[in-house]
Amino acid sequence: MSSWSVIGSGVTGLCVATMLSEYNEKVEVIESPDVKTASLLAGGMLAPFCEGESAPDIVVEYGMTAIEWWSNHVSSVKKTGTLVLAPARDTVELKNFASKTQSHTWVAPESLESDLSNRFSQGLFFPEEAHLDPRLSLKELRSTLIEKGVAFHTNKPSGKIVDCTGISAEKTLPNLRAVRGEMLIFESHDVSFSRSIRLLHPRFPCYLVPRHNGQFMLGATMVESHDDSSISAKALIEMLGSAYAIHPAFAEARLVETGTGLRPSFPNNVPEITYQDGCFFINGMYRHGFLLAPYMAQQFVKKL
């Protein structure tokens, strides 16, 4: 049995710690309370086929294992698929999306979501996809690890190091760059959706993910920037406009939270496992943390 110190308690770190624990390795997780964890701002979409519209094929291939992994480890996975929509003036976007993806069918959106009645004439449905609640899922992974005797602390590591610190590792990993993302959470009891919805737009596409108690997470932006300051007025206006385009009732929604985070990304936007200076690094999840972290963790432990 080896002793491992996983640095970082975001989605990558917790997935790696979980897999090491399941391989009966001794594990500790080193946290940095002052580090802003991008995982807490994630949408939680497990949508490998939709990601194929712009991501490399390898992301689709790796991501196809995520739904089963998360279903075996946490309680919040909803296997209700993904619905992709576009305003009437942007139907060409829907056709382009269909041509670049697989495992979908054309549907009348209201046949899946009754609250979309008379809103959109057609959409794309990806039935094999799912979504989860990121914060609840990370909390459950953490609780399970603690029950198994895994220590979480801020002291110096005592075992072989696996660095899963995201953008904080940029000084050691020179190819790593930051991609800013902005999100908001709002609450509305006038509309109910059971699945993730992607709204296509040539300039400002977005995704809407249902949470519990009438809450929805809305995200969109991908900005090549290291700025993690508060959400911009422009992004907020655009996102609220997108929510209104999905359903006008969202105009009466109550804002619960806004947030920004820095996604760690390599030049090809595909994660990597590297080894240097006596440490392993698992990084570069880009916008695919919850989709790809389980696969990367599994690949890491298989090579031990």
Side-chain angles (χ1 to χ4, degrees), residues 60-70 291 294-295 298:
V60 179
E61 178 186 346
Y62 292 176
M64 288 174 64
T65 65
I67 296 174
E68 181 180 3
W69 193 92
W70 283 110
L291 187 63
Y295 177 86
Q298 291 175 82

Side-chain angles (χ1 to χ4, degrees), residues 40-53:
L40 298 177
L41 303 175
M45 294 177 298
L46 306 177
F49 299 110
C50 281
E51 291 302 318
E53 182 266 340

Side-chain angles (χ1 to χ4, degrees), residues 28 93 97 100 146 184 191 201-202 227 242 278 280 285 294-295:
E28 64 179 359
E93 297 292 326
F97 197 93
K100 297 176 181 178
I146 291 174
L184 62 86
V191 180
H201 187 280
D227 176 13
S242 295
F280 289 96
M285 295 296 165
Y295 177 86

Side-chain angles (χ1 to χ4, degrees), residues 1 10 19 53 60 108 163 175 185 219 222 234 237 241 283:
M1 179 187 296
M19 291 306 304
E53 182 266 340
V60 179
D163 189 301
N175 288 335
I185 296 175
M222 299 288 292
K234 176 182 178 181
I237 291 169
N283 213 316

Side-chain angles (χ1 to χ4, degrees), residues 23-269:
Y23 270 61
N24 297 316
E25 298 287 295
K26 184 179 179 181
V27 191
E28 64 179 359
V29 178
I30 314 299
E31 300 185 282
S32 299
D34 56 336
V35 173
K36 190 175 180 180
T37 303
S39 302
L40 298 177
L41 303 175
M45 294 177 298
L46 306 177
F49 299 110
C50 281
E51 291 302 318
E53 182 266 340
S54 58
D57 291 342
I58 199 169
V59 170
V60 179
E61 178 186 346
Y62 292 176
M64 288 174 64
T65 65
I67 296 174
E68 181 180 3
W69 193 92
W70 283 110
S71 297
N72 290 334
H73 289 86
V74 303
S75 65
S76 68
V77 177
K78 306 297 182 184
K79 301 177 184 179
T80 50
T82 303
L83 181 59
V84 181
L85 306 172
R89 67 180 183 276
D90 296 320
T91 53
V92 65
E93 297 292 326
L94 204 57
K95 294 177 181 177
N96 287 339
F97 197 93
S99 69
K100 297 176 181 178
T101 55
Q102 56 182 306
S103 297
H104 55 68
T105 58
W106 289 92
V107 296
E110 62 190 55
S111 69
L112 297 174
E113 299 287 357
S114 59
D115 282 344
L116 291 176
S117 180
N118 300 317
R119 296 290 306 146
F120 300 88
S121 61
Q122 59 182 347
L124 292 170
F125 180 47
F126 294 77
E128 299 176 48
E129 298 187 336
H131 68 274
L132 53 71
D133 185 321
R135 297 177 185 180
L136 177 59
S137 296
L138 294 182
K139 183 179 179 179
E140 289 181 353
L141 286 186
R142 182 189 180 99
S143 296
T144 299
L145 287 167
I146 291 174
E147 289 174 4
K148 291 183 176 181
V150 175
F152 284 73
H153 60 79
T154 58
N155 301 323
K156 292 183 178 180
S158 61
K160 292 185 287 187
I161 294 175
V162 189
D163 189 301
C164 303
T165 56
I167 197 61
S168 296
E170 62 182 335
K171 292 182 179 179
T172 308
L173 303 175
N175 288 335
L176 202 64
R177 78 187 196 284
V179 178
R180 173 184 169 96
E182 297 160 303
M183 55 77 76
L184 62 86
I185 296 175
F186 61 83
E187 183 174 335
S188 172
H189 297 280
D190 297 322
V191 180
S192 177
F193 295 137
S194 61
R195 53 185 51 81
S196 299
I197 294 176
R198 291 185 180 235
L199 183 70
L200 304 182
H201 187 280
R203 184 171 52 83
F204 204 84
C206 75
Y207 53 82
L208 180 74
V209 188
R211 298 277 172 87
H212 63 286
N213 297 330
Q215 292 190 357
F216 298 84
M217 184 274 189
L218 184 67
T221 59
M222 299 288 292
V223 182
E224 296 285 341
S225 171
H226 206 292
D227 176 13
D228 66 348
S229 60
S230 300
I231 191 170
S232 67
K234 176 182 178 181
L236 185 59
I237 291 169
E238 293 279 14
M239 283 197 281
L240 291 174
S242 295
Y244 183 84
I246 294 172
H247 202 290
F250 285 141
E252 299 300 323
R254 297 296 183 258
L255 285 180
V256 175
E257 177 185 340
T258 64
T260 61
L262 298 179
R263 303 176 176 97
S265 311
F266 290 119
N268 62 355
N269 296 330

